[in-house]
Amino acid sequence: MADEINELAQSYGWPVVYETDRDFDRGIGREVNWGVTEQVVLGYLESHISNDCCLVGVGNDPELAERVVRQMDDDLEDEIESLAELLAAIQEDEDPRRLAQSLVRAGFGAPREFDEEFFDAFAKAARENDEYRVRDIAISSLVYIEWPEFKPMLEEIKAHDPEEQVRARASMVLRAYEAAGM
């Protein structure tokens, strides 16, 4: 999808200002940023796990960043999953592989403001799933959501999950939240 978004960005006159390829071994997905203005960047993030992607607008002009993302939503309307579809996938899918992919997509596409249903679905996957890799991916996906309501849950997981990898992931996400000023 990066190529399609690049074509759109080029049609608006936005140059690529940063690009990195996916590095699975280092846990890094593909990232491309286009300079909308000196104050706003349109960012494309692609998961190294699932190949799913998201767009974000960031910068010193939040209103313009929001308008840019809304424009991309309109331009890519047929290719963007709705919040209802994202939520249904993480609530209903029991296959660990598909659930993990759905969690990544839902992390990318979750609402900016706290949403009880998304919170409950992520909390269930992060705390209760029998497959530790699903718990790990659920926690990893929280880095994109950044709701302070997740912090107590992450602290609990960091202290009590039976898998070291999951405890370490909760610690990593908590550090990311701290770095983001949460």
Side-chain angles (χ1 to χ4, degrees):
M1 186 156 201
D3 293 336
E4 185 175 349
I5 296 167
N6 189 49
E7 286 180 30
L8 280 171
Q10 295 296 321
S11 75
Y12 289 118
W14 305 335
V16 173
V17 294
Y18 175 81
E19 187 169 7
T20 185
D21 285 327
R22 176 173 39 178
D23 184 340
F24 190 82
D25 293 334
R26 293 179 45 217
I28 299 171
R30 183 169 185 207
E31 184 176 344
V32 182
N33 293 333
W34 293 270
V36 176
T37 67
E38 287 187 27
Q39 291 81 30
V40 174
V41 171
L42 174 68
Y44 169 89
L45 304 171
E46 185 176 277
S47 168
H48 74 288
I49 297 169
S50 68
N51 295 330
D52 291 302
C53 62
C54 73
L55 290 172
V56 295
V58 295
N60 295 333
D61 186 342
E63 290 175 10
L64 176 59
E66 191 68 33
R67 282 196 313 268
V68 167
V69 170
R70 277 196 308 272
Q71 181 63 50
M72 291 289 106
D73 284 350
D74 290 345
D75 290 343
L76 300 166
E77 178 179 13
D78 295 334
E79 299 184 45
I80 296 175
E81 286 184 80
S82 71
L83 290 176
E85 291 169 319
L86 294 171
L87 183 59
I90 59 176
Q91 289 174 326
E92 298 168 5
D93 208 331
E94 294 183 20
D95 175 73
R97 175 175 235 114
R98 286 194 315 264
L99 177 57
Q101 291 174 327
S102 296
L103 287 162
V104 172
R105 281 195 313 278
F108 278 160
R112 288 181 54 192
E113 302 300 322
F114 178 77
D115 180 283
E116 189 76 39
E117 286 184 284
F118 268 83
F119 177 87
D120 290 345
F122 270 93
K124 180 179 179 185
R127 286 181 177 144
E128 300 173 19
N129 196 281
D130 292 336
E131 175 58 54
Y132 81 91
R133 286 171 280 217
V134 170
R135 295 193 312 272
D136 185 49
I137 288 172
I139 294 165
S140 295
S141 298
L142 298 180
V143 78
Y144 302 111
I145 299 176
E146 294 186 344
W147 294 338
E149 291 84 355
F150 281 122
K151 289 173 71 175
M153 179 195 73
L154 290 168
E155 292 287 354
E156 174 192 321
I157 291 168
K158 176 182 158 186
H160 300 292
D161 194 275
E163 289 291 328
E164 181 180 341
Q165 179 177 328
V166 175
R167 293 190 308 270
R169 184 75 63 196
S171 182
M172 179 200 75
V173 173
L174 282 165
R175 285 193 307 274
Y177 279 14
E178 284 179 32
M182 293 179 20

